[in-house]
Amino acid sequence: MTDAYGYDDDGDYHASEVDPGATLKRDDGSKPQIGADPTIREGTIIYGDVVVGDRFTTGHHALVREGTTIGDDVLVGTNSVLDGDCTVGDGVSIQTGVYCPTGTTLGDRVFLGPHAVLTNDPYPLRTEGELTAPTLEDDVSVGANATILPGITVGEGAFVAANALVTKDVPPRTLAVGSPAEFRPLPEELTGGNSR
């Protein structure tokens, strides 16, 4: 017999869309809350206190750590990491190899291209400091290999180009390009929201 999340009396998740090579609980026995119709691939690890909406999809070897909340219709790609206490909105697409540090906030319909890196430590290993993760508002797109530094807010509908290094807040509906990123008007073809 299974409960509302597909777990049987032994604590194993039984759904054809969850690979048996995925880990959906922690050593303490806690289990994530996973909505309807998931596709969770081999090697994925989802910590026990994570809450996930409907139609969640992962690539292989994705990691979703403790305290994370994920909306509906979210993709976490192969080898991507949500490193704990992250908040992810609906319709978010996190492509292969993306890193989101502890405390990251992603609005609805955010797109993170392959190997995009978000950071939360302003002075790694040099000084004791407060970790301040980035916030990406609704409909933000981030290109492949872009890096967003700690505490940055990327405004609604902004577009961060591939390989950009974002060192200051990006205004809404703005193009950020280069290293360090410079801001330009958003080209007409990039206006509007993201779609899946």
Side-chain angles (χ1 to χ4, degrees), residues 22-34:
T23 301
L24 302 182
K25 61 184 179 181
R26 293 177 58 183
D27 293 337
D28 67 4
S30 59
K31 302 171 231 170
Q33 296 180 17
I34 299 172

Side-chain angles (χ1 to χ4, degrees), residues 130-145:
E130 185 177 339
L131 300 178
T132 57
T135 296
L136 280 60
E137 296 179 349
D138 295 349
D139 294 305
V140 166
S141 286
V142 177
N145 296 307

Side-chain angles (χ1 to χ4, degrees), residues 82-155:
L82 298 175
D83 216 358
D85 296 314
C86 296
T87 302
V88 178
D90 295 332
V92 172
S93 183
I94 299 170
Q95 298 295 298
T96 297
V98 169
Y99 179 73
C100 295
T102 301
T104 296
T105 299
L106 305 176
D108 294 337
R109 299 169 306 281
V110 167
F111 175 86
L112 294 173
H115 302 284
V117 174
L118 284 60
T119 63
N120 68 353
D121 191 344
Y123 306 105
L125 295 177
R126 296 294 172 152
T127 64
E128 292 290 327
E130 185 177 339
L131 300 178
T132 57
T135 296
L136 280 60
E137 296 179 349
D138 295 349
D139 294 305
V140 166
S141 286
V142 177
N145 296 307
T147 299
I148 299 174
L149 294 186
I152 299 296
T153 295
V154 180

Side-chain angles (χ1 to χ4, degrees), residues 9-51:
D9 294 332
D10 295 326
D12 295 321
Y13 196 86
H14 288 279
S16 60
E17 301 85 1
V18 178
D19 190 282
T23 301
L24 302 182
K25 61 184 179 181
R26 293 177 58 183
D27 293 337
D28 67 4
S30 59
K31 302 171 231 170
Q33 296 180 17
I34 299 172
D37 302 318
T39 301
I40 301 173
R41 292 186 170 86
E42 181 178 7
T44 294
I45 299 171
I46 301 174
Y47 277 52
D49 59 352
V50 170
V51 177

